[in-house]
Structure formats: C-alpha cells, structure tokens
Amino acid sequence: MSASVPPAAAPAIQIERARFAFAGRRLFDQLSLELPAGHTTCLLGPSGVGKTSLLRLIAGLLPPESATEIRAGDGRTLAGRIAWMAQTDLLMPWLDVLGNVLIGYRLRGDPAALETARGRALELLARTGLSGHQGDLPATLSGGMRQRVALARTLVEERPVVLMDEPFGQLDAITRLSLQELAARMLAGRTVLLVTHDPLEAARLGHRIHVMAGAPATLGTPLEPAGDPPRDATASDTLAIQAELMRRLADAHAFAVPA
C-alpha cells in the first residue's frame, strides 16, 4: 500500500482574512494561516474557540464570509482533493464496515476504482485492528471501533489534502499511539490539518503546531518540532514540546474564562 503522495501532488494551502461568526459571536476575524505543502499542521485551543469551524471552512462545508480567501498554492481548485474526517464517525447504519470504508467510491459510481480500493480497504481494516469485522454493522461496534472505521475510510481515499477533527479522541491510550503512527506514515507527503485537544498527539504528529486562542481567535507563533512524525512519545524533546503546549493552552484557557 502506498504510504505517501508525491510532494508535487500535495499543495500548500493559504487561508487569508478568514472571518466567521456563530450564534451572534465572532469566532475569528482577519485570521490567516498557511498549511505547508506535504506537512502536517496541528491546531489546538479551548473548546468553542473556532477550530472546527476553521476546518469546515477549508473543507468547503461552511460558506466563507466576504474577504475570506482560501486557495491552493498550485493555483488549482481544492474541490475533489480533500479527505475529511469529522469528530463524529458519520457511519451509515445500513452499511457494513467495508461498505462504510468504501462509501466514497460507491457514491462516485466508478466500479473499477471501487474494485481497486477494496484491497486497500481490507488491508487498512487489518492494520486498524478490525480484521474479521468487515461484515459487521455500525450498531454492533464500540465507539473506538467506529472511529477506526472512520479513519480507514479517510485513509483509503488517498487524497493529497486531509482535514481531521479529533481523529483519535475515542481511542484508548495504547490504540491511540498505534494509530497515530499508522496515520503519520500513511499521510507522509500530504498536506494535513489536524485538530486535537491532546498536546502529546500534536507533539508527536505535527511539523507545525498552532494554538488558537481569544475572541475573536488569533494564532500564536507556531512551534516547529525537529524531526519527522511520528515522534517517540517518551522522548525528552517530544515531552518538552508537550510541556510548552500545555503552558500555551493554560494561557489560552485563562484568557477564555472570565475572572
């Protein structure tokens, strides 16, 4: 199975002057962010600060307000080049596990591509610990198993741009570490934006890490850990990045909570 996309196929993404309000509250205004080509950018911040809204804007799932500009560095449209993994698994209850993993190929109506993807899907199910469950319906699965199905569905698409919202949040600690490693290796060379509440996860997986804070939200100076993901969760350098992110998150939460 291919572990990466050629760097030329994974564009940088520029977000400029992004504006978004929800329920009468301005989440961010004039916010700018660059996602470097072929790298993973992690985004942390307090709940409700606007991380998911920013992710959904980039995915085209929310209408951008005036002045907001989102563009690929190669000048091409992002449409059809993004794989999206939401916080919830969004599994179709009437489809079995394999059917859910391959739903994108089914909806696009390309039998040849569907057949080619089937082998990759079965391998991904094995690598995510779901061998033997391909015929199970979502109602029979635990929350962690459902999230692993959603991860397999995202990875099987082999898109050059991947947007992930808390992709490992339902998993136990050991499974989380294992699947972080799988995702990091399979997404090498792609342009990834990963929203997470876990500083250690960001320290392991991010080439560039931002903390989003304030109202309207802004982005602080990013951290750029040395070395390629996935980093050793117990290494001193990784733990130092985790500690710095914890400090920044504590500052962000202190700002968000009224005295």
Side-chain angles (χ1 to χ4, degrees), residues 115-160:
E115 189 57 34
T116 299
R118 187 180 302 275
R120 294 201 311 276
L122 290 171
E123 183 178 345
L124 277 166
L125 290 175
R127 295 178 71 179
T128 53
L130 292 169
S131 290
H133 293 281
Q134 58 265 31
D136 294 354
L137 292 175
T140 68
L141 305 177
S142 68
M145 293 171 75
R146 293 173 64 103
Q147 193 163 36
R148 283 181 272 160
V149 175
L151 177 62
R153 180 183 60 201
T154 303
L155 295 176
V156 80
E157 288 287 334
E158 295 192 320
R159 298 298 175 97

Side-chain angles (χ1 to χ4, degrees), residues 7 40 64 83 89 106 112 114 119 122 136 169 176 187 195 208 218:
T40 293
D89 57 70
R106 289 172 175 265
L114 174 63
L122 290 171
D136 294 354
R176 176 182 294 206
L187 295 175
V195 166
R208 180 178 291 181
T218 59

Side-chain angles (χ1 to χ4, degrees), residues 177 180-185 203-206 227-233 238:
L177 290 175
Q180 285 171 356
E181 292 191 9
L182 171 65
R185 299 190 192 286
R204 293 196 76 210
L205 300 182
D228 291 325
R231 301 179 187 90
D232 183 349
T238 306

Side-chain angles (χ1 to χ4, degrees), residues 9 13 43-44 48 74 78 80 86 98 109 122 131 139-140 161 163 193 201 203 212 243 245:
I13 300 175
L43 184 61
L44 300 97
D74 60 8
L78 286 170
L98 184 59
L122 290 171
S131 290
T140 68
V161 178
L163 307 176
L193 179 57
E201 183 167 283
M212 192 171 181
L245 289 171

